[in-house]
Amino acid sequence: MGASTFTEQAPLPAVPKELSIIAKDLWSGQFFLNQDFTPDNLKSQRRLRPFGMVHLATHAEFKAGAPGNSYIQFWQDRKLRLDQIRELGLSNPPVELLVLSACRTALGDQEAELGFGGFAVQAGVKSVLASLWYVSDEGTLGLMSGFYQKLKTAPIKAEALREAQIAMLKGQVRMEQGQLLTLNQKVTLPPELSALGDRKLSHPYYWAGFAMIGNPW
């Protein structure tokens, strides 16, 4: 699930491609974009089919202090606050892997260790992939494409992340001539990202911010 357009935040043009690659090209699943990206629909879809992997691609923000200060942005003005994670029912049935493909979702403080990622593990999620800083749209698209590909063969989830990050470090994932070159495919980029020109994604800024929280298996 995810959103590419927002009323008060910058658009994320890579999100539709990110969701399609994961749920159609690499794995057999379903994806829900923009107006279908709501907490109620997330709960409803999991009641219909107990998805073991849940991927949320959107904006997020961690702010120290009261749990209500931090949020994951759903469609339009709907924000899921840090203390509302349990309301998603991610432990019934348990989610094996929750991917928070957004900014600062693993950032926390003394009152909320590891932020949204930490709260999700406490709410019953087995493993969470989340970020420590403001991540880039194009870099996240590259990392997530590699991670879900490696997840098919890696012995544990943490190893899939490590292998995807190493591939980016080595320059095996990059933007060239309007396409994202991943480990085994070429993905046509949306015009907004194609306009950025050729771009290497090997700098740690693009891939090092994501960490696996909870069970590495």
Side-chain angles (χ1 to χ4, degrees):
M1 287 184 155
S4 60
T5 59
F6 305 86
T7 56
E8 299 178 351
Q9 294 158 302
L12 297 174
V15 165
K17 188 69 69 174
E18 181 177 330
L19 300 184
S20 177
I21 290 172
I22 294 167
K24 291 179 63 178
D25 298 343
L26 296 176
W27 290 79
S28 177
Q30 291 180 276
F31 69 89
F32 304 88
L33 181 66
N34 290 335
Q35 65 269 17
D36 295 323
F37 179 41
T38 66
D40 286 343
N41 193 35
L42 173 55
K43 291 184 286 187
S44 175
Q45 294 300 327
R46 290 199 72 237
R47 283 194 296 267
L48 293 173
R49 181 179 172 186
F51 294 101
M53 294 193 297
V54 175
H55 182 100
L56 305 181
T58 182
H59 283 294
E61 181 65 78
F62 177 82
K63 296 181 179 179
N69 294 341
S70 305
Y71 65 87
I72 295 175
Q73 184 69 56
F74 280 73
W75 176 242
Q76 297 291 21
D77 59 350
R78 182 68 168 90
K79 290 180 170 64
L80 184 80
R81 305 295 176 176
L82 187 60
D83 53 359
Q84 296 175 318
I85 286 286
R86 290 186 182 275
E87 297 177 12
L88 294 179
L90 299 176
S91 63
N92 185 28
V95 170
E96 289 287 318
L97 173 64
L98 173 65
V99 177
L100 299 175
S101 178
C103 296
R104 291 157 51 102
T105 46
L107 188 66
D109 59 15
Q110 291 182 342
E111 303 300 321
E113 187 175 358
L114 298 174
F116 281 100
F119 265 60
V121 170
Q122 291 179 27
V125 176
K126 185 175 180 180
S127 307
V128 182
L129 180 58
S131 66
L132 290 163
W133 56 64
Y134 291 108
V135 295
S136 80
D137 199 24
E138 63 273 21
T140 302
L141 173 61
L143 180 64
M144 293 302 167
S145 299
F147 169 69
Y148 278 94
Q149 180 181 332
K150 292 294 186 181
L151 196 59
K152 289 177 160 296
T153 57
I156 61 174
K157 303 184 190 82
E159 176 63 16
L161 174 61
R162 189 184 77 88
E163 291 179 5
Q165 291 174 321
I166 288 175
M168 293 190 71
L169 175 63
K170 291 182 175 180
Q172 296 172 356
V173 180
R174 59 195 184 277
M175 297 164 56
E176 287 184 2
Q177 299 180 346
Q179 293 182 317
L180 175 71
L181 306 184
T182 66
L183 297 179
N184 69 345
Q185 63 182 153
K186 296 180 180 179
V187 178
T188 300
L189 293 169
E192 298 91 334
L193 296 184
S194 180
L196 298 175
D198 294 355
R199 180 167 294 188
K200 294 181 179 179
L201 302 175
S202 57
H203 192 281
Y205 162 68
Y206 292 107
W207 51 265
F210 281 93
M212 190 68 66
I213 300 169
N215 197 323
W217 288 275

